[in-house]
Amino acid sequence: YGNFLVTDNLALTPADYDPFCITAPTDSRLPDEVSGKQICGLYDIKPAKFGQVNNLVTQASHFGDRTEVFNGFDVSLNTRFADRGVFQGGLSVGRTVEDSCATVDQPQDADTGFGLTVGGTAPGYCRVTRPWAAATQVKFMVVYPLPWNLQTSAVYQNIPGMPINTTYLAVNAEISPSLGRNLVGRNNVVIDLVPPNTVYEPRLQQVDLRLSRTFVAGKARLTANLDLYNALNASSVLNQTTRYGPQWMNVVQVMGGRMLKLGGEFQF
């Protein structure tokens, strides 16, 4: 990628920031490398430099490159079988690596990537390597005719679950012991405990079925459909609370439940 702009405060340098650490909550739902561990590489501006501004808007390429690299492959199959049966489907496997590591003013930018984060700031996440499973999908469709002018079809999907994000509000009281003073100009810092696009909900699997029949009388044509959506009645999570606390990971939205629908099309 190119032609990104950043704002460089010429009144500041990386030496004008003090480092601090926080201790992540101990929680079995967090990755082992995060739960109860110290998160360092966080910075706060020195009090003497707070409020000094001399901004220059310039090209991000002066500080580093921003890249997104995808490696993967797709396999698809389209075939007929038996008596007018049709099968279409495929497998898609891939992995994306995003890199935006650079230092503009704050040293933390080298770890968060031009300050580009999901909900807050977190060191070590400027290069995010998504797992292979995060971009692996399996989808196929089968259509098969039955006696009495009936036709059946089924669609199956197996796709990645939603990414689990965790933003944590670290207050001044838990930061000041490491920093050696109070935060300047703020009372808390929002931190991403879990790297974005690295931890996911279980995979979403959905099966949809259809039974249809066509009736013909002269020039009139009626096609009746009986559809069964989400036949397995899966309840995969589509949205959840991301702020760490008592409500963290509470489900906000799930996939719609099993539904039976009768429909049709009339041509004359």
Side-chain angles (χ1 to χ4, degrees):
Y1 291 134
N3 204 33
F4 286 102
L5 297 178
V6 297
T7 300
D8 178 19
N9 188 350
L10 301 179
L12 302 177
T13 69
D16 295 324
Y17 292 82
D18 292 326
F20 66 90
C21 304
I22 70 158
T23 300
T26 300
D27 193 319
S28 60
R29 296 171 298 175
L30 292 171
D32 292 340
E33 63 273 17
V34 174
S35 177
K37 303 296 193 301
Q38 271 206 330
I39 299 178
C40 296
L42 303 164
Y43 292 83
D44 188 53
I45 192 170
K46 294 180 182 292
K49 289 290 186 175
F50 179 71
Q52 296 188 23
V53 178
N54 182 17
N55 286 339
L56 171 67
V57 178
T58 184
Q59 292 289 324
S61 57
H62 295 163
F63 304 93
D65 295 325
R66 182 179 174 187
T67 62
E68 179 180 327
V69 179
F70 173 83
N71 291 291
F73 64 88
D74 297 327
V75 177
S76 61
L77 177 65
N78 186 341
T79 184
R80 295 182 179 275
F81 66 95
D83 183 16
R84 294 178 290 130
V86 175
F87 176 91
Q88 296 178 348
L91 167 69
S92 176
V93 179
R95 184 174 70 176
T96 300
V97 179
E98 297 170 299
D99 192 320
S100 56
C101 303
T103 300
V104 181
D105 295 313
Q106 188 173 167
Q108 190 172 313
D109 286 346
D111 288 323
T112 59
F114 298 121
L116 302 172
T117 57
V118 174
T121 57
Y125 300 160
C126 65
R127 180 179 173 87
V128 176
T129 302
R130 302 183 186 184
W132 286 95
T136 299
Q137 300 186 23
V138 178
K139 297 179 180 180
F140 65 80
M141 175 192 71
V142 178
V143 180
Y144 192 75
L146 296 176
W148 306 297
N149 204 27
L150 292 172
Q151 184 165 269
T152 58
S153 60
V155 176
Y156 173 75
Q157 301 181 67
N158 186 312
I159 61 178
M162 64 159 290
I164 298 176
N165 298 318
T166 311
T167 58
Y168 177 71
L169 185 67
V171 298
N172 183 72
E174 58 186 311
I175 294 173
S176 55
S178 172
L179 185 59
R181 57 173 175 80
N182 291 328
L183 291 167
V184 177
R186 52 183 176 170
N187 296 316
N188 53 66
V189 176
V190 178
I191 298 171
D192 294 313
L193 294 179
V194 177
N197 299 310
T198 56
V199 181
Y200 292 79
E201 281 285 330
R203 298 184 65 83
L204 184 153
Q205 299 188 62
Q206 181 174 346
V207 176
D208 300 321
L209 305 174
R210 167 174 283 189
L211 177 66
S212 63
R213 183 176 181 181
T214 300
F215 303 88
V216 179
K219 293 184 178 181
R221 183 184 182 92
L222 172 65
T223 300
N225 299 318
L226 181 64
D227 295 310
L228 181 62
Y229 294 100
N230 191 10
L232 301 179
N233 202 30
S235 56
S236 300
V237 176
L238 303 180
N239 196 6
Q240 61 186 195
T241 303
T242 60
R243 176 59 60 87
Y244 184 84
Q247 305 301 318
W248 179 50
M249 292 185 69
N250 274 10
V251 176
V252 176
Q253 181 183 9
V254 298
M255 188 167 66
R258 183 187 296 122
M259 181 178 68
L260 189 65
K261 178 181 177 182
L262 180 64
E265 179 180 338
F266 181 59
Q267 298 178 1
F268 57 94

